[in-house]
Amino acid sequence: MATKVIELVNNGNLVVEKKYGMTYEEFAKDHLFACKPVVIGDACKDWKAKDKFTPDFFKSEYGDRKVTVEGKDYLLKDFIDLMEKSSIENPAPYPCKLQLDRDYPELLPDISPRFKFSEPDWCHNKLIEPLLGSADTYEVFLGSPGGQFPYVHYDYMGLHAFITQLYGVKEFTVIPPEQTEYVYPKPNDPWVSEVPDIKNIDLDKFPLCKNITPITFTVGPGETLFIPNGWWHTAHSLSITLSVALDSLNNSNWKRFKNEVVTKVSKRNKILAKMVSVYLSVVKPIIK
Ligand SMILES: O=C(O)CCC(=O)C(=O)O
Ligand SMILES: [Fe+2]
């Protein structure tokens, strides 16, 4: 079957497409190694979670679990009630994140098998996992109208992200890595932009932003957004939403991953950083 391509939206030369029936080879060539985002229309078609993961499911099965959202504790059922009352004018806090592998491991089979596009993935390799620190690699996000991811950023540790929308619609804005110098990375947290609202930029305060060409598009139920590492992004919910985020690490982002790990360690200890660098060079052929 030939890939069916739906052009989502463009800004100048940049375009994000939605694709159905894509082969792994096409994904690897045109997206993974080309560092180009894509919305995959049918990646999660084999997941049980596709019909199972709804806000109601989490409310009835896990309502008494504690969740912390923007520093405040809730019972999950109370938070979902709050989501139901959320509005653009008075949004519920966002994001409410559930760490699946740590806290809901019995749900992992519902998002298995990992779709082919997210493979190979070395995040969970025992030789690599300890170096990932606090990076969460299997997360559910619950959101509601007006809920806005708090900042524009690219993901830590060089990892790629696959965000699969299972319920409701989210709007994403992405900006290519080549425009990093125009998004004002925070000096002490260079993965995060200082620009508070990418859709209403104060150009007097952030004049370089006139050079950026953000692309904004929606991702709906059953669709998966691939965000290659280095692409700046943010999101907000247009309705009540539930998505699953997976990360991946393989040959395509190995250099970025290695660079981030070594840089992070070298801030504390330069000799240890050198050892980590050697360690990664030695283990790479084993984990491939
Ligand atoms: O789905 C979203 O709100 C964006 C999440 C995200 O980019 C992240 O957790 O790194
Ligand atoms: Fe992200």
Side-chain angles (χ1 to χ4, degrees):
M1 186 178 88
T3 307
K4 190 170 153 208
V5 180
I6 297 162
E7 188 166 297
L8 267 180
V9 66
N10 66 38
N11 188 346
N13 292 330
L14 289 171
V15 60
V16 174
E17 295 160 319
K18 184 185 296 178
K19 294 187 176 180
Y20 291 83
M22 186 171 31
T23 61
Y24 184 80
E25 289 66 33
E26 177 176 343
F27 172 73
K29 176 170 157 287
D30 293 348
H31 301 287
L32 185 64
F33 285 93
C35 190
K36 205 168 152 233
V38 62
V39 175
I40 311 167
D42 50 3
C44 72
K45 61 182 186 319
D46 297 326
W47 283 5
K48 272 213 201 93
K50 194 167 182 288
D51 302 311
K52 179 172 170 181
F53 284 14
T54 61
D56 273 350
F57 166 75
F58 280 93
K59 188 171 162 180
S60 64
E61 296 296 316
Y62 296 102
D64 291 324
R65 294 278 183 106
K66 197 189 89 177
V67 287
T68 307
V69 189
E70 287 185 353
K72 203 170 157 207
D73 291 342
Y74 304 85
L75 289 181
L76 186 52
K77 61 185 174 201
D78 296 338
F79 187 76
I80 292 174
D81 285 344
L82 199 63
M83 282 167 49
E84 277 155 7
K85 294 191 201 105
S86 178
S87 65
I88 310 271
E89 300 74 37
N90 193 11
Y94 182 77
C96 171
K97 297 202 256 182
L98 314 179
Q99 212 177 314
L100 277 186
D101 46 347
R102 190 191 64 195
D103 299 330
Y104 307 79
E106 66 282 9
L107 296 180
L108 287 177
D110 296 331
I111 58 164
S112 301
R114 281 176 72 105
F115 34 78
K116 60 188 176 192
F117 307 110
S118 69
E119 300 281 3
D121 171 47
W122 304 336
C123 288
H124 300 281
N125 186 292
K126 291 283 166 272
L127 298 169
I128 297 299
E129 211 167 20
L131 296 171
L132 282 173
S134 62
D136 299 328
T137 52
Y138 285 111
E139 286 179 308
V140 165
F141 283 71
L142 288 162
S144 44
Q148 168 85 45
F149 197 81
Y151 40 78
V152 177
H153 68 286
Y154 68 92
D155 290 356
Y156 290 131
M157 304 310 274
L159 303 182
H160 300 313
F162 291 85
I163 299 179
T164 298
Q165 201 56 32
L166 293 177
Y167 190 94
V169 179
K170 242 188 221 170
E171 186 185 87
F172 284 85
T173 297
V174 300
I175 301 166
E178 296 73 29
Q179 298 179 8
T180 292
E181 60 186 303
Y182 309 133
V183 302
Y184 296 86
K186 291 189 175 179
N188 294 324
D189 195 2
W191 302 266
V192 175
S193 164
E194 284 181 334
V195 182
D197 181 356
I198 207 70
K199 283 190 158 173
N200 294 295
I201 300 172
D202 179 347
L203 282 176
D204 291 332
K205 206 164 164 201
F206 302 108
L208 294 175
C209 283
K210 68 176 186 308
N211 299 308
I212 62 173
T213 55
I215 314 179
T216 296
F217 51 91
T218 56
V219 180
E223 297 175 346
T224 299
L225 170 62
F226 166 62
I227 309 177
N229 189 261
W231 278 72
W232 296 85
H233 56 278
T234 193
H236 79 268
S237 291
L238 301 183
S239 61
I240 291 193
T241 57
L242 188 154
S243 18
V244 171
L246 307 179
D247 293 334
S248 80
L249 170 65
N250 51 49
N251 254 332
S252 64
N253 51 344
W254 177 261
K255 255 200 193 146
R256 295 186 70 94
F257 162 73
K258 185 173 173 188
N259 186 35
E260 288 220 7
V261 176
V262 172
T263 307
K264 191 173 158 196
V265 177
S266 74
K267 286 197 183 118
R268 281 182 289 130
N269 185 329
K270 294 229 163 6
I271 296 170
L272 187 60
K274 187 80 205 138
M275 285 161 71
V276 168
S277 174
V278 172
Y279 169 79
L280 287 172
S281 306
V282 171
V283 298
K284 169 98 186 314
I286 307 173
I287 58 171
K288 250 163 80 173

